[in-house]
Amino acid sequence: MLYQRSSELFKEARKVIPGGVNSPVRAFKAVGGDPIFVKKAEGAYLYDEDGNQFIDYINSWGPMILGHAYPPVVNAVIEKAKKGTSFGMPTEIETEIAALAVNMVPNIDMIRFVNSGTEACMSAVRLARGFTGKDKIIKFSGCYHGHSDSFLIQAGSGAVTFGSPNSPGVTKGTAKDTLLAKYNDIENVTNLVEANKGEIACIIIEPVAGNMGCIPPKNDFLQNIRNLCNANGILLIFDEVMTGFRLAPGGAQELLGVDADIITFGKVIGGGLPVGAFGARTEIMNYLAPLGPVYQAGTLSGNPLAMAAGLAMLTELNNNKAIFESIAKKTAYLHKGIEEVLEKNQITHSINRLGSMISVHFSSEKVIDFETAATGNNDTFKKFFHGMLENNIYIAPSAFETWFITDALSYEDLDTTIAAVDKIAPSIK
Ligand SMILES: *Cc1c(COP(=O)(O)O)cnc(C)c1O
């Protein structure tokens, strides 16, 4: 059996870890079968516990933008670890990475580091509420901002009414302050703002959605939201946990030319260690404790190992900005190759791409929001996923995820991937 040891390990894991995993999507529930246990990874490749090698299109869900075990990052962590792994006291490296991040990202003067993207988004919303003195927030269906209560909300009964919890444990009280809008539908957002005039603290959005597959914003959608926020005293939060330091040195803000008020980060900024961050202009950041009244804290925030990994990663990206173009080109090449093969095999599909984010939807409709993303054929996706896996290509085990392209991928790897799609295409129809 190809994955025998992984299956055994999964069985053991399930005895002591709920579902055998520490984050649900890893469990393969959407595609069936047992997950693969990783032994190690290097460059563009993963190696599992059974000795199989895979080309990796997940890359830890984004952070490994330069490939796994990238030497400058690994070495920075090793050297730091020798000097102690946590102090709960200020260290110089925190200022170094903060200064570099502020320098790379347009329109943020200050940044605070936390331990995950979830924490970053949760804190950004609290800051926005504290700063504006308002309670309600608008988020978009299909956008993911981590698992904090305010974000685990689904659409309520009417488009302009409040949301309802989509996980037990989230209270109705929390849900009533989160309003759900439709991605790429400015009229819908405008109506929500009108119906809740003067009550909205912030609009939080993935400037390029990446958690319902990859969905780029339509022309002017983000600029129109910006204008709406300006006209109504609402803070705009760009959740750049996925897009930050990926789409451009300054993330989606730079690539798309729209400025948010608060920007959240995660994934790439930690170089593969647990890091999140949020930044804004001074006036807003001054609202945070210990300067201001909005409380936010963390025992391990700014941890030296995490900061060393993040600083090494951002330094590499900042010193070699050609990387962003290089990975975008590789992604375009992959797009073209897969598109040709799917067309040749007459498989209904819709491929979305922006920069180094790409997703293949088995849908006849153009995918522009959560509703259209949900029209994808999940049976086809399951067959596609397992077919790719058998051909040693690891893509996300869910149709609602972006693939994350790494610069470690060679054109030969991309050709291998396209050939695998061609090989399995007849069997996924
Ligand atoms: C991954 C992600 C998060 C959550 O980050 P975690 O580190 O998993 O908590 C938030 N927002 C976006 C856009 C993400 O992609």
Side-chain angles (χ1 to χ4, degrees):
M1 215 181 112
L2 268 179
Y3 313 116
Q4 186 165 352
R5 174 130 179 88
S6 277
S7 293
E8 285 164 9
L9 289 171
F10 188 47
K11 210 171 128 194
E12 290 306 308
R14 272 179 299 176
K15 292 180 191 162
V16 284
I17 302 171
V21 292
N22 282 310
S23 197
V25 73
R26 297 178 197 166
F28 279 21
K29 267 194 105 167
V31 290
D34 290 349
I36 287 174
F37 277 59
V38 184
K39 185 160 193 171
K40 62 171 188 174
E42 197 179 343
Y45 311 114
L46 288 172
Y47 301 85
D48 73 3
E49 290 281 357
D50 289 279
N52 301 302
Q53 178 184 333
F54 301 90
I55 300 178
D56 185 13
Y57 283 97
I58 298 307
N59 289 291
S60 184
W61 304 92
M64 318 321 289
I65 191 168
L66 301 177
H68 290 284
Y70 190 68
V73 173
V74 172
N75 292 336
V77 173
I78 291 171
E79 288 312 310
K80 254 309 177 223
K82 290 180 188 164
K83 296 176 183 152
T85 57
S86 180
F87 317 112
M89 293 166 70
T91 54
E92 185 177 3
I93 195 170
E94 293 164 80
T95 308
E96 285 177 56
I97 184 173
L100 180 56
V102 163
N103 191 276
M104 289 173 79
V105 177
N107 79 311
I108 63 171
D109 300 320
M110 291 190 193
I111 187 165
R112 177 160 283 176
F113 286 90
V114 293
N115 305 289
S116 68
T118 295
E119 248 188 275
C121 295
M122 176 187 89
S123 307
V125 165
R126 183 181 306 141
L127 179 57
R129 284 174 165 154
F131 185 79
T132 58
K134 299 175 198 164
D135 287 346
K136 290 185 181 174
I137 69 170
I138 292 181
K139 84 171 278 290
F140 292 81
S141 293
C143 281
Y144 182 68
H145 308 293
H147 65 94
S148 109
D149 287 6
S150 301
F151 304 127
L152 296 182
I153 305 298
Q154 60 198 2
S157 46
V160 293
T161 64
F162 45 76
S164 62
N166 74 355
S167 164
V170 176
T171 65
K172 288 195 201 84
T174 298
K176 80 172 174 35
D177 286 328
T178 300
L179 309 167
L180 262 288
K182 273 178 79 169
Y183 203 82
N184 273 330
D185 185 343
I186 190 65
E187 205 182 306
N188 176 259
V189 190
T190 308
N191 289 342
L192 269 180
V193 169
E194 286 302 320
N196 296 273
K197 207 100 188 144
E199 294 183 84
I200 298 168
C202 62
I203 296 181
I204 183 167
I205 188 166
E206 291 178 69
V208 178
N211 285 288
M212 43 184 167
C214 165
I215 303 186
K218 281 187 185 165
N219 285 346
D220 296 337
F221 178 59
L222 296 177
Q223 186 58 52
N224 287 333
I225 291 180
R226 175 72 270 174
N227 298 345
L228 192 62
C229 286
N230 290 351
N232 289 278
I234 296 170
L235 292 184
L236 177 56
I237 304 178
F238 274 2
D239 177 353
E240 295 227 41
V241 170
M242 192 181 286
T243 54
F245 307 102
R246 167 166 290 279
L247 293 182
Q253 284 196 114
E254 179 184 336
L255 186 76
L256 304 173
V258 181
D259 285 353
D261 297 299
I262 306 178
I263 300 92
T264 63
F265 302 99
K267 301 193 167 116
V268 175
I269 201 174
L273 269 79
V275 179
F278 58 105
R281 58 184 182 268
T282 305
E283 175 200 14
I284 296 174
M285 292 307 270
N286 278 349
Y287 252 73
L288 275 182
L291 285 178
V294 173
Y295 193 70
Q296 187 281 321
T299 301
L300 289 170
S301 292
N303 171 267
L305 299 194
M307 295 298 97
L311 180 60
M313 175 64 84
L314 296 196
T315 302
E316 291 291 309
L317 296 173
N318 194 44
N319 289 346
N320 185 5
K321 298 204 174 82
I323 288 167
F324 297 96
E325 204 173 306
S326 165
I327 44 176
K329 265 195 198 148
K330 287 176 186 179
T331 312
Y333 183 87
L334 187 69
H335 182 167
K336 186 164 170 279
I338 293 178
E339 184 109 74
E340 279 169 8
V341 166
L342 291 178
E343 260 160 35
K344 188 180 83 184
N345 287 279
Q346 298 180 331
I347 293 170
T348 304
H349 68 278
S350 168
I351 300 179
N352 282 355
R353 167 175 60 90
L354 191 70
S356 56
M357 293 162 65
I358 180 171
S359 56
V360 179
H361 302 261
F362 295 106
S363 149
S364 55
E365 283 183 60
K366 213 169 139 36
V367 173
I368 54 159
D369 57 15
F370 185 68
E371 267 172 37
T372 43
T375 64
N377 184 328
N378 205 44
D379 283 336
T380 306
F381 181 81
K382 278 186 198 171
K383 286 187 233 164
F384 180 65
F385 172 82
H386 284 290
M388 293 300 272
L389 199 60
E390 274 166 33
N391 284 280
N392 299 87
I393 305 208
Y394 190 77
I395 61 169
S398 157
F400 289 90
E401 304 289 352
T402 293
W403 306 19
F404 298 92
I405 306 303
T406 155
D407 203 42
L409 285 163
S410 66
Y411 280 89
E412 200 184 332
D413 294 327
L414 300 175
D415 285 336
T416 303
T417 306
I418 295 161
V421 178
D422 199 18
K423 187 174 159 202
I424 66 169
S427 65
I428 67 172
K429 275 197 199 176

